[in-house]
Amino acid sequence: MSVDEELVTVSITAADPDWLAGFTRRLLADRLVACGNLQPAVRSLFRWAGAIADEPEALVTLHTRRAHVHEIIVRADAEHPYDTPQVVAVPVAVVHPGYRDWVLAETEPGVVE
Protein backbone atom coordinates (compact mmCIF):
# COMPACT_ATOMS: atom_id res chain seq x y z
CA MET A 1 0.00 0.00 0.00
CA SER A 2 1.39 3.42 -0.94
CA VAL A 3 1.53 6.32 1.51
CA ASP A 4 -1.23 7.98 -0.49
CA GLU A 5 -3.55 5.06 0.25
CA GLU A 6 -2.89 4.88 4.01
CA LEU A 7 -5.89 5.97 6.09
CA VAL A 8 -5.79 8.03 9.27
CA THR A 9 -8.27 9.47 11.69
CA VAL A 10 -7.60 13.07 12.67
CA SER A 11 -9.03 14.58 15.84
CA ILE A 12 -9.45 18.32 16.29
CA THR A 13 -10.99 20.18 19.22
CA ALA A 14 -12.43 23.71 19.42
CA ALA A 15 -14.47 25.70 21.91
CA ASP A 16 -17.29 26.34 19.42
CA PRO A 17 -18.98 23.31 17.82
CA ASP A 18 -20.44 25.49 15.05
CA TRP A 19 -16.96 26.72 14.10
CA LEU A 20 -15.74 23.13 14.07
CA ALA A 21 -18.67 22.05 11.87
CA GLY A 22 -17.90 24.87 9.42
CA PHE A 23 -14.22 23.94 9.34
CA THR A 24 -15.17 20.32 8.66
CA ARG A 25 -17.53 21.39 5.85
CA ARG A 26 -14.69 23.36 4.21
CA LEU A 27 -12.40 20.31 4.40
CA LEU A 28 -15.17 18.16 2.89
CA ALA A 29 -15.76 20.66 0.09
CA ASP A 30 -12.05 20.59 -0.76
CA ARG A 31 -12.01 16.74 -0.61
CA LEU A 32 -9.41 16.72 2.16
CA VAL A 33 -11.64 14.45 4.28
CA ALA A 34 -14.39 11.96 3.50
CA CYS A 35 -16.25 12.25 6.78
CA GLY A 36 -16.29 14.12 10.07
CA ASN A 37 -17.95 12.81 13.23
CA LEU A 38 -18.70 15.80 15.45
CA GLN A 39 -19.21 15.47 19.19
CA PRO A 40 -20.56 18.89 20.23
CA ALA A 41 -19.80 18.48 23.92
CA VAL A 42 -16.67 16.98 25.43
CA ARG A 43 -14.89 17.94 28.62
CA SER A 44 -11.19 18.62 28.09
CA LEU A 45 -8.73 18.59 30.97
CA PHE A 46 -5.20 19.70 30.13
CA ARG A 47 -2.14 21.60 31.31
CA TRP A 48 -1.74 25.05 29.75
CA ALA A 49 0.50 27.96 30.75
CA GLY A 50 1.48 26.25 34.01
CA ALA A 51 -2.05 25.53 35.17
CA ILE A 52 -4.57 22.73 34.86
CA ALA A 53 -7.54 23.71 32.71
CA ASP A 54 -10.98 22.08 32.67
CA GLU A 55 -12.92 23.36 29.65
CA PRO A 56 -15.96 22.42 27.56
CA GLU A 57 -15.04 21.80 23.93
CA ALA A 58 -16.29 20.13 20.77
CA LEU A 59 -14.41 17.31 19.05
CA VAL A 60 -14.41 16.19 15.45
CA THR A 61 -12.94 12.94 14.21
CA LEU A 62 -12.05 13.14 10.53
CA HIS A 63 -11.52 10.21 8.17
CA THR A 64 -8.95 10.77 5.43
CA ARG A 65 -5.73 9.74 3.73
CA ARG A 66 -2.41 10.22 5.46
CA ALA A 67 -1.31 12.30 2.46
CA HIS A 68 -3.83 15.04 3.40
CA VAL A 69 -2.74 15.48 7.03
CA HIS A 70 -0.15 18.17 6.29
CA GLU A 71 -2.73 20.31 4.47
CA ILE A 72 -5.24 19.83 7.31
CA ILE A 73 -2.62 21.06 9.79
CA VAL A 74 -1.82 24.06 7.58
CA ARG A 75 -5.52 24.92 7.34
CA ALA A 76 -6.00 24.53 11.10
CA ASP A 77 -3.03 26.83 11.75
CA ALA A 78 -4.54 29.45 9.44
CA GLU A 79 -8.21 29.19 10.46
CA HIS A 80 -8.47 27.79 13.99
CA PRO A 81 -9.23 30.30 16.78
CA TYR A 82 -6.66 28.65 19.10
CA ASP A 83 -2.98 29.60 18.92
CA THR A 84 -2.07 25.92 19.26
CA PRO A 85 -4.94 23.76 18.02
CA GLN A 86 -5.11 20.05 18.78
CA VAL A 87 -4.67 18.24 15.49
CA VAL A 88 -3.74 14.59 16.06
CA ALA A 89 -3.57 12.00 13.27
CA VAL A 90 -3.62 8.30 14.13
CA PRO A 91 -3.02 5.56 11.56
CA VAL A 92 -5.94 3.23 10.89
CA ALA A 93 -4.78 -0.34 11.53
CA VAL A 94 -7.88 -2.19 10.35
CA VAL A 95 -10.81 -0.94 8.31
CA HIS A 96 -13.78 -2.43 6.49
CA PRO A 97 -12.66 -2.79 2.83
CA GLY A 98 -15.75 -1.02 1.49
CA TYR A 99 -15.32 1.89 3.90
CA ARG A 100 -11.63 2.17 2.96
CA ASP A 101 -12.53 2.30 -0.74
CA TRP A 102 -15.15 4.98 -0.04
CA VAL A 103 -12.71 7.18 1.94
CA LEU A 104 -10.11 6.87 -0.81
CA ALA A 105 -12.66 7.72 -3.51
CA GLU A 106 -13.96 10.76 -1.64
CA THR A 107 -10.48 12.13 -0.96
CA GLU A 108 -8.92 11.42 -4.34
CA PRO A 109 -6.32 14.13 -5.06
CA GLY A 110 -7.13 16.29 -8.04
CA VAL A 111 -10.82 15.35 -8.30
CA VAL A 112 -13.03 18.39 -8.85
CA GLU A 113 -16.82 18.35 -8.73
PDB file of all heavy atoms in Angstrom, residues 89-106:
ATOM      1  N   ALA A  89      -3.256  13.032  14.262  1.00  0.00           N
ATOM      2  CA  ALA A  89      -3.567  12.002  13.271  1.00  0.00           C
ATOM      3  C   ALA A  89      -3.068  10.652  13.773  1.00  0.00           C
ATOM      4  O   ALA A  89      -1.929  10.533  14.221  1.00  0.00           O
ATOM      5  CB  ALA A  89      -2.911  12.329  11.942  1.00  0.00           C
ATOM      6  N   VAL A  90      -3.935   9.655  13.683  1.00  0.00           N
ATOM      7  CA  VAL A  90      -3.618   8.303  14.132  1.00  0.00           C
ATOM      8  C   VAL A  90      -3.831   7.356  12.955  1.00  0.00           C
ATOM      9  O   VAL A  90      -4.904   7.376  12.332  1.00  0.00           O
ATOM     10  CB  VAL A  90      -4.522   7.903  15.322  1.00  0.00           C
ATOM     11  CG1 VAL A  90      -4.228   6.488  15.773  1.00  0.00           C
ATOM     12  CG2 VAL A  90      -4.355   8.896  16.472  1.00  0.00           C
ATOM     13  N   PRO A  91      -2.846   6.509  12.657  1.00  0.00           N
ATOM     14  CA  PRO A  91      -3.022   5.559  11.556  1.00  0.00           C
ATOM     15  C   PRO A  91      -4.164   4.584  11.838  1.00  0.00           C
ATOM     16  O   PRO A  91      -4.376   4.172  12.979  1.00  0.00           O
ATOM     17  CB  PRO A  91      -1.693   4.795  11.511  1.00  0.00           C
ATOM     18  CG  PRO A  91      -0.735   5.582  12.322  1.00  0.00           C
ATOM     19  CD  PRO A  91      -1.533   6.394  13.293  1.00  0.00           C
ATOM     20  N   VAL A  92      -4.872   4.220  10.799  1.00  0.00           N
ATOM     21  CA  VAL A  92      -5.941   3.229  10.895  1.00  0.00           C
ATOM     22  C   VAL A  92      -5.310   1.861  10.650  1.00  0.00           C
ATOM     23  O   VAL A  92      -4.748   1.616   9.578  1.00  0.00           O
ATOM     24  CB  VAL A  92      -7.054   3.517   9.866  1.00  0.00           C
ATOM     25  CG1 VAL A  92      -8.070   2.394   9.844  1.00  0.00           C
ATOM     26  CG2 VAL A  92      -7.707   4.858  10.169  1.00  0.00           C
ATOM     27  N   ALA A  93      -5.393   0.989  11.634  1.00  0.00           N
ATOM     28  CA  ALA A  93      -4.776  -0.336  11.530  1.00  0.00           C
ATOM     29  C   ALA A  93      -5.648  -1.308  10.747  1.00  0.00           C
ATOM     30  O   ALA A  93      -5.155  -2.091   9.933  1.00  0.00           O
ATOM     31  CB  ALA A  93      -4.489  -0.893  12.918  1.00  0.00           C
ATOM     32  N   VAL A  94      -6.947  -1.271  10.995  1.00  0.00           N
ATOM     33  CA  VAL A  94      -7.879  -2.195  10.349  1.00  0.00           C
ATOM     34  C   VAL A  94      -9.122  -1.403   9.969  1.00  0.00           C
ATOM     35  O   VAL A  94      -9.603  -0.582  10.753  1.00  0.00           O
ATOM     36  CB  VAL A  94      -8.259  -3.355  11.304  1.00  0.00           C
ATOM     37  CG1 VAL A  94      -9.245  -4.290  10.640  1.00  0.00           C
ATOM     38  CG2 VAL A  94      -7.012  -4.097  11.779  1.00  0.00           C
ATOM     39  N   VAL A  95      -9.630  -1.656   8.778  1.00  0.00           N
ATOM     40  CA  VAL A  95     -10.814  -0.945   8.310  1.00  0.00           C
ATOM     41  C   VAL A  95     -11.626  -1.864   7.394  1.00  0.00           C
ATOM     42  O   VAL A  95     -11.050  -2.707   6.693  1.00  0.00           O
ATOM     43  CB  VAL A  95     -10.417   0.372   7.588  1.00  0.00           C
ATOM     44  CG1 VAL A  95      -9.605   0.090   6.341  1.00  0.00           C
ATOM     45  CG2 VAL A  95     -11.618   1.232   7.262  1.00  0.00           C
ATOM     46  N   HIS A  96     -12.921  -1.696   7.405  1.00  0.00           N
ATOM     47  CA  HIS A  96     -13.784  -2.435   6.486  1.00  0.00           C
ATOM     48  C   HIS A  96     -13.352  -2.080   5.060  1.00  0.00           C
ATOM     49  O   HIS A  96     -13.188  -0.901   4.731  1.00  0.00           O
ATOM     50  CB  HIS A  96     -15.237  -2.026   6.718  1.00  0.00           C
ATOM     51  CG  HIS A  96     -16.219  -2.774   5.888  1.00  0.00           C
ATOM     52  ND1 HIS A  96     -16.418  -2.496   4.552  1.00  0.00           N
ATOM     53  CD2 HIS A  96     -17.053  -3.798   6.199  1.00  0.00           C
ATOM     54  CE1 HIS A  96     -17.336  -3.308   4.072  1.00  0.00           C
ATOM     55  NE2 HIS A  96     -17.735  -4.107   5.046  1.00  0.00           N
ATOM     56  N   PRO A  97     -13.146  -3.070   4.188  1.00  0.00           N
ATOM     57  CA  PRO A  97     -12.663  -2.792   2.830  1.00  0.00           C
ATOM     58  C   PRO A  97     -13.545  -1.808   2.055  1.00  0.00           C
ATOM     59  O   PRO A  97     -13.038  -0.943   1.337  1.00  0.00           O
ATOM     60  CB  PRO A  97     -12.640  -4.162   2.154  1.00  0.00           C
ATOM     61  CG  PRO A  97     -12.589  -5.144   3.272  1.00  0.00           C
ATOM     62  CD  PRO A  97     -13.298  -4.504   4.429  1.00  0.00           C
ATOM     63  N   GLY A  98     -14.854  -1.929   2.194  1.00  0.00           N
ATOM     64  CA  GLY A  98     -15.753  -1.016   1.487  1.00  0.00           C
ATOM     65  C   GLY A  98     -15.635   0.407   1.998  1.00  0.00           C
ATOM     66  O   GLY A  98     -15.678   1.363   1.225  1.00  0.00           O
ATOM     67  N   TYR A  99     -15.481   0.556   3.322  1.00  0.00           N
ATOM     68  CA  TYR A  99     -15.320   1.895   3.898  1.00  0.00           C
ATOM     69  C   TYR A  99     -13.998   2.498   3.440  1.00  0.00           C
ATOM     70  O   TYR A  99     -13.933   3.668   3.077  1.00  0.00           O
ATOM     71  CB  TYR A  99     -15.389   1.836   5.430  1.00  0.00           C
ATOM     72  CG  TYR A  99     -15.495   3.200   6.057  1.00  0.00           C
ATOM     73  CD1 TYR A  99     -16.718   3.845   6.121  1.00  0.00           C
ATOM     74  CD2 TYR A  99     -14.375   3.847   6.560  1.00  0.00           C
ATOM     75  CE1 TYR A  99     -16.820   5.113   6.688  1.00  0.00           C
ATOM     76  CE2 TYR A  99     -14.464   5.111   7.124  1.00  0.00           C
ATOM     77  CZ  TYR A  99     -15.696   5.742   7.188  1.00  0.00           C
ATOM     78  OH  TYR A  99     -15.806   6.994   7.725  1.00  0.00           O
ATOM     79  N   ARG A 100     -12.937   1.697   3.435  1.00  0.00           N
ATOM     80  CA  ARG A 100     -11.633   2.166   2.959  1.00  0.00           C
ATOM     81  C   ARG A 100     -11.740   2.669   1.523  1.00  0.00           C
ATOM     82  O   ARG A 100     -11.265   3.754   1.197  1.00  0.00           O
ATOM     83  CB  ARG A 100     -10.614   1.038   3.050  1.00  0.00           C
ATOM     84  CG  ARG A 100      -9.248   1.419   2.543  1.00  0.00           C
ATOM     85  CD  ARG A 100      -8.300   0.199   2.573  1.00  0.00           C
ATOM     86  NE  ARG A 100      -7.006   0.572   2.087  1.00  0.00           N
ATOM     87  CZ  ARG A 100      -6.701   0.707   0.786  1.00  0.00           C
ATOM     88  NH1 ARG A 100      -7.602   0.485  -0.138  1.00  0.00           N
ATOM     89  NH2 ARG A 100      -5.492   1.066   0.426  1.00  0.00           N
ATOM     90  N   ASP A 101     -12.376   1.894   0.659  1.00  0.00           N
ATOM     91  CA  ASP A 101     -12.533   2.297  -0.743  1.00  0.00           C
ATOM     92  C   ASP A 101     -13.307   3.602  -0.847  1.00  0.00           C
ATOM     93  O   ASP A 101     -12.982   4.467  -1.670  1.00  0.00           O
ATOM     94  CB  ASP A 101     -13.236   1.203  -1.539  1.00  0.00           C
ATOM     95  CG  ASP A 101     -12.389  -0.049  -1.698  1.00  0.00           C
ATOM     96  OD1 ASP A 101     -11.167   0.000  -1.432  1.00  0.00           O
ATOM     97  OD2 ASP A 101     -12.966  -1.104  -2.079  1.00  0.00           O
ATOM     98  N   TRP A 102     -14.352   3.754  -0.021  1.00  0.00           N
ATOM     99  CA  TRP A 102     -15.154   4.984  -0.042  1.00  0.00           C
ATOM    100  C   TRP A 102     -14.322   6.190   0.392  1.00  0.00           C
ATOM    101  O   TRP A 102     -14.358   7.238  -0.262  1.00  0.00           O
ATOM    102  CB  TRP A 102     -16.382   4.815   0.849  1.00  0.00           C
ATOM    103  CG  TRP A 102     -17.172   6.070   0.988  1.00  0.00           C
ATOM    104  CD1 TRP A 102     -18.026   6.619   0.065  1.00  0.00           C
ATOM    105  CD2 TRP A 102     -17.170   6.956   2.107  1.00  0.00           C
ATOM    106  NE1 TRP A 102     -18.546   7.788   0.542  1.00  0.00           N
ATOM    107  CE2 TRP A 102     -18.032   8.024   1.805  1.00  0.00           C
ATOM    108  CE3 TRP A 102     -16.513   6.952   3.340  1.00  0.00           C
ATOM    109  CZ2 TRP A 102     -18.262   9.071   2.678  1.00  0.00           C
ATOM    110  CZ3 TRP A 102     -16.738   7.995   4.214  1.00  0.00           C
ATOM    111  CH2 TRP A 102     -17.606   9.038   3.879  1.00  0.00           C
ATOM    112  N   VAL A 103     -13.553   6.068   1.485  1.00  0.00           N
ATOM    113  CA  VAL A 103     -12.710   7.178   1.938  1.00  0.00           C
ATOM    114  C   VAL A 103     -11.710   7.556   0.849  1.00  0.00           C
ATOM    115  O   VAL A 103     -11.529   8.745   0.539  1.00  0.00           O
ATOM    116  CB  VAL A 103     -11.985   6.842   3.264  1.00  0.00           C
ATOM    117  CG1 VAL A 103     -10.942   7.899   3.598  1.00  0.00           C
ATOM    118  CG2 VAL A 103     -12.985   6.705   4.410  1.00  0.00           C
ATOM    119  N   LEU A 104     -11.080   6.579   0.249  1.00  0.00           N
ATOM    120  CA  LEU A 104     -10.109   6.866  -0.814  1.00  0.00           C
ATOM    121  C   LEU A 104     -10.776   7.557  -1.999  1.00  0.00           C
ATOM    122  O   LEU A 104     -10.227   8.509  -2.562  1.00  0.00           O
ATOM    123  CB  LEU A 104      -9.397   5.585  -1.242  1.00  0.00           C
ATOM    124  CG  LEU A 104      -8.454   4.972  -0.213  1.00  0.00           C
ATOM    125  CD1 LEU A 104      -7.925   3.630  -0.699  1.00  0.00           C
ATOM    126  CD2 LEU A 104      -7.323   5.916   0.140  1.00  0.00           C
ATOM    127  N   ALA A 105     -11.955   7.097  -2.377  1.00  0.00           N
ATOM    128  CA  ALA A 105     -12.658   7.716  -3.512  1.00  0.00           C
ATOM    129  C   ALA A 105     -13.053   9.152  -3.212  1.00  0.00           C
ATOM    130  O   ALA A 105     -12.947  10.038  -4.070  1.00  0.00           O
ATOM    131  CB  ALA A 105     -13.891   6.887  -3.874  1.00  0.00           C
ATOM    132  N   GLU A 106     -13.502   9.420  -1.992  1.00  0.00           N
ATOM    133  CA  GLU A 106     -13.964  10.762  -1.636  1.00  0.00           C
ATOM    134  C   GLU A 106     -12.836  11.748  -1.380  1.00  0.00           C
ATOM    135  O   GLU A 106     -13.072  12.955  -1.307  1.00  0.00           O
ATOM    136  CB  GLU A 106     -14.879  10.687  -0.410  1.00  0.00           C
ATOM    137  CG  GLU A 106     -16.179   9.982  -0.663  1.00  0.00           C
ATOM    138  CD  GLU A 106     -16.978  10.616  -1.798  1.00  0.00           C
ATOM    139  OE1 GLU A 106     -17.064  11.854  -1.863  1.00  0.00           O
ATOM    140  OE2 GLU A 106     -17.488   9.867  -2.643  1.00  0.00           O
TER     141      GLU A 106
END
